[in-house]
Amino acid sequence: MSEVPVSFSGVTAGYGGAPVLRDISLELRDGDFLAVIGPNGGGKTTLLRVALGLLEPMEGETKVFGESPAKGAHRLGYVPQHGTFDRRYPIKAEEAVMTGLRDASRGFQLRYTEEEKESAERAIEMAGIGPFRGKRIGDLSGGQLQRVLIARALAGSPEAILLDEPTASLDPEMSSKVYEILRNINSKGIAVMLVTHDLDAMSQGVKRVACVNGRAIIGESPEITPEMFELGYGIRLGRESR
């Protein structure tokens, strides 16, 4: 039986003693493509921070491939919002991808094994950044930079990938390209957890959806249910009378 990439069991988490999430029980399953929707401030990014071991929950338990996040998070890839990436850093796109191979034990060592280089090349190919791999990141468009960040997350050959608003501020054409890359990633057996405001993502290969706004409603399909609309957006959809 395959290990569950990420599981939250009764997790309450927040900042300064104030909970943002309460009693969250949720799984990112093996081979899953899970979209997490909900309003700003509802706790979606907080959920990712807990999974990555960047935030200790107040209550409950989080497991990454059956271990604590501190031990298991190295098996995850993570794509932050591209607006949080410092574009002034003077490196090329392909060099940015290679930084995804670093870990704390190696510091800023710039020597990589042949196996690591091959892994980075596969990531570059999967994210389709070959045509602009030699460009400085400061010269890239928002869509190009987002694809570089995806390649960077893939360079370490993760078994699951978490993404925070990867299509935010992208035009429809670039968003479509990002979703194409994510479908390709998922088709190779890599579980995907996608935090997004884009409800069109449900038609882009997503297998399940969860709505998070303090608490969570989890579905077994890409359908956004009336209960999810009410929790996430305060919209009460009419129901046909019988």
Side-chain angles (χ1 to χ4, degrees):
M1 183 176 178
S2 299
E3 295 173 298
V4 173
V6 182
S7 66
F8 305 93
S9 300
V11 167
T12 293
Y15 309 93
V20 174
L21 299 171
R22 294 181 184 273
D23 195 23
I24 302 294
S25 293
L26 171 68
E27 286 184 343
L28 175 67
R29 301 167 183 165
D30 185 46
D32 213 349
F33 192 155
L34 174 68
V36 180
I37 62 171
N40 286 331
K44 302 186 302 300
T45 297
T46 298
L47 198 65
L48 297 185
R49 289 176 58 82
V50 172
L52 293 165
L54 301 175
L55 180 66
E56 187 72 23
M58 300 171 183
E59 296 178 14
E61 184 178 58
T62 306
K63 294 290 188 182
V64 177
F65 293 101
E67 300 182 297
S68 68
K71 293 182 178 180
H74 70 280
R75 298 169 68 177
L76 301 174
Y78 173 54
V79 181
Q81 294 187 35
H82 69 79
T84 65
F85 193 86
D86 189 353
R87 297 168 68 100
R88 298 170 298 177
Y89 200 65
I91 57 174
K92 297 177 181 178
E94 60 187 356
E95 293 171 331
V97 172
M98 297 296 286
T99 65
L101 295 167
R102 294 178 180 154
D103 60 39
S105 66
R106 293 172 58 177
F108 286 93
Q109 178 180 334
L110 296 179
R111 294 178 181 269
Y112 302 100
T113 66
E114 288 303 313
E115 183 179 358
E116 287 174 327
K117 291 177 183 177
E118 289 172 6
S119 178
E121 284 298 323
R122 288 194 297 270
I124 286 170
E125 180 180 358
M126 196 178 296
I129 71 169
F132 50 87
R133 62 185 296 166
K135 280 189 172 184
R136 287 180 174 268
I137 57 172
D139 296 330
L140 301 178
S141 69
Q144 289 172 332
L145 178 58
Q146 192 63 69
R147 287 155 64 183
V148 168
L149 295 179
I150 292 173
R152 180 179 182 273
L154 292 172
S157 301
E159 297 165 68
I161 186 168
L162 314 183
L163 305 98
D164 194 358
E165 299 285 359
T167 61
S169 303
L170 300 186
D171 63 36
E173 182 179 354
M174 285 295 98
S175 294
S176 179
K177 181 62 179 177
V178 168
Y179 288 131
E180 180 183 341
I181 293 167
L182 297 185
R183 287 194 300 272
N184 185 34
I185 291 170
N186 188 238
S187 74
K188 298 182 184 303
I190 299 172
V192 176
M193 184 172 178
L194 168 69
V195 163
T196 184
H197 279 96
D198 182 9
L199 301 188
D200 287 341
M202 304 315 118
S203 63
Q204 298 290 341
V206 166
K207 296 174 181 176
R208 296 192 304 133
V209 60
C211 181
V212 173
N213 186 13
R215 62 185 182 90
I217 296 175
I218 301 103
E220 293 299 322
S221 75
E223 179 187 2
I224 303 174
T225 65
E227 292 79 12
M228 291 178 185
F229 274 110
E230 186 169 354
L231 172 65
Y233 310 103
I235 300 172
R236 181 169 295 184
L237 300 181
R239 294 175 174 81
E240 294 182 1
S241 58
R242 294 182 181 275

